Amino acid sequence: LVVVLLLVASVALAAEPVKVGVVLPFSGPVGSDGQRTFSGIQLAVDEINAKGGIAVGDTKRTIEIIREDSTCNPRMSVAAVEKLMTQDKVSIVIGDFCSTSTLADSEVAKRSEVPQVTPISIAPSITKQENPWIFRSCDNSDMMARAFVKDAVNTLEIKRWAFLARNDDYGRGGVESLSSLVKQEGGEVVAVEYHPQGATDYYTLLTKIRAAKPDGVALIANTAEHSVATNQMAELGMLQNVRLLDPTSAYFNPDFLRLTGANADGMVGPTRYVHTIDNPTNQKFVEAYEKANGQYPDKLAQSAYETVYLIEKAVE
């Protein structure tokens, strides 16, 4: 009887975990990007739990991840966030990946009064809604555009710009931000072509862009989509005369470089993170990430990793 009572007492004293919801595309056209994002989350969670969890008062609480696949579909993303916030009773949601989904989710966060933070979505409108429940832990497309366009126009002498972008908030927001800055710097936008999510045939759009004779083609979508578009540009002979531009730093990752090979040589763009940053904190992160995942981290993994540690500090 005494033993039983002691066991019950020990269970009662065990601290409940901090439930963190994760909504990302684990399948579909951006599944590989979503998986890389989650790998950063998982590494941070494993590190925090290995040291006993998050310090809450005199106790330590481990992090429990409850993940949902949105496929970057706004309807599915909203349903996933609703489930996490109302049924699973998570303390916070990380996600989504695509800006259109995150914008849709923000209304759920506001209604449920549960914070949500996106480590990836860059549409400026996400954090301009006067919604105190939605957060972003990364740069937005306006920030990247300001950092990139001036040098691209004046130093790289890319005066005539063309855009190939996905037809959603992410793509249109990026084109809008960049186009206005290109014009301010004295450049010219000579072609803009949009495609649906998951497109695989870009030949018609690329032929139109080629006819406009741009100096550079700015790509705004994801790895799966524009690795195909880049290879098709090479087939059309476009890369001999135009510079590939990655204005949202979506393609500086090992998957894109593996899928495009030499076709991506010379691509330029802004990014707030590269794995070669030479300081002890980053070296420690890169070493741990490579050990866990067999490749170096990109900005998606790094931003997600950092987001978990921001959550740790917020809970504490």
Side-chain angles (χ1 to χ4, degrees):
L1 178 61
V2 173
V3 173
V4 171
L5 287 174
L6 287 172
L7 287 171
V8 170
S10 67
V11 171
L13 290 171
E16 289 291 321
V18 177
K19 292 184 178 181
V20 176
V22 174
V23 176
L24 289 170
F26 294 103
S27 62
V30 288
S32 63
D33 292 331
Q35 291 286 354
R36 284 200 315 282
T37 304
F38 184 74
S39 65
I41 293 171
Q42 188 65 65
L43 177 60
V45 169
D46 289 345
E47 289 178 352
I48 292 169
N49 286 346
K51 65 180 184 181
I54 300 176
V56 182
D58 295 329
T59 64
K60 288 261 188 152
R61 297 175 63 179
T62 58
I63 300 174
E64 177 187 345
I65 294 292
I66 305 174
R67 54 182 261 180
E68 298 287 340
D69 183 4
S70 71
T71 72
C72 260
N73 178 301
R75 179 181 57 79
M76 292 181 64
S77 189
V78 165
V81 172
E82 288 269 16
K83 172 185 175 294
L84 290 168
M85 291 184 177
T86 60
Q87 295 181 35
D88 297 314
K89 305 295 184 183
V90 299
S91 296
I92 190 167
V93 168
I94 300 174
D96 201 340
F97 186 96
C98 294
S99 292
T100 302
S101 295
T102 304
L103 278 165
D105 296 344
S106 64
E107 290 303 312
V108 181
K110 186 176 183 179
R111 183 170 63 252
S112 303
E113 297 189 345
V114 175
Q116 179 170 347
V117 55
T118 174
I120 305 299
S121 300
I122 64 173
S125 55
I126 291 170
T127 47
K128 292 183 178 180
Q129 306 174 81
E130 298 185 0
N131 180 349
W133 298 97
I134 192 75
F135 298 85
R136 186 201 328 265
S137 58
C138 62
D139 40 11
N140 66 35
S141 57
D142 282 347
M143 296 174 186
M144 283 184 278
R146 289 196 300 270
F148 179 53
V149 170
K150 185 174 182 178
D151 278 346
V153 173
N154 298 299
T155 303
L156 299 178
E157 296 188 348
I158 300 168
K159 306 293 186 182
R160 296 170 58 82
W161 287 57
F163 291 92
L164 179 66
R166 190 168 63 227
N167 191 13
D168 62 6
D169 292 296
Y170 167 51
R172 290 188 174 276
V175 170
E176 181 179 347
S177 298
L178 287 155
S179 294
S180 61
L181 289 167
V182 167
K183 294 170 185 175
Q184 286 177 28
E185 291 297 326
E188 180 183 3
V189 177
V190 297
V192 177
E193 297 293 339
Y194 292 103
H195 61 81
Q197 180 173 309
T200 58
D201 184 348
Y202 300 91
Y203 291 109
T204 300
L205 301 180
L206 292 173
T207 300
K208 292 179 181 179
I209 289 173
R210 182 175 60 180
K213 298 182 179 179
D215 299 322
V217 178
L219 305 174
I220 307 178
N222 61 54
T223 294
E225 292 165 336
H226 281 178
S227 60
V228 175
T230 297
N231 292 335
Q232 291 177 5
M233 288 175 68
E235 290 179 33
L236 293 172
M238 293 176 63
L239 300 182
Q240 300 170 17
N241 303 307
V242 301
R243 193 75 175 262
L244 275 180
L245 309 177
D246 178 13
T248 63
S249 68
Y251 310 119
F252 295 119
N253 66 69
D255 288 338
F256 185 83
L257 299 179
R258 174 178 54 82
L259 291 168
T260 57
N263 291 337
D265 287 355
M267 180 178 67
V268 293
T271 185
R272 58 177 176 73
Y273 177 78
V274 289
H275 71 283
T276 53
I277 292 172
D278 188 14
N279 65 49
T281 300
N282 186 58
Q283 290 169 355
K284 181 180 178 181
F285 164 60
V286 171
E287 182 179 342
Y289 187 89
E290 287 184 323
K291 182 177 180 180
N293 298 282
Q295 62 181 12
Y296 63 80
D298 65 351
K299 76 162 192 174
L300 304 182
Q302 185 275 335
S303 183
Y305 176 86
E306 186 175 66
T307 296
V308 176
Y309 276 99
L310 289 171
I311 290 170
E312 177 194 31
K313 296 301 181 186
V315 172
E316 288 179 347

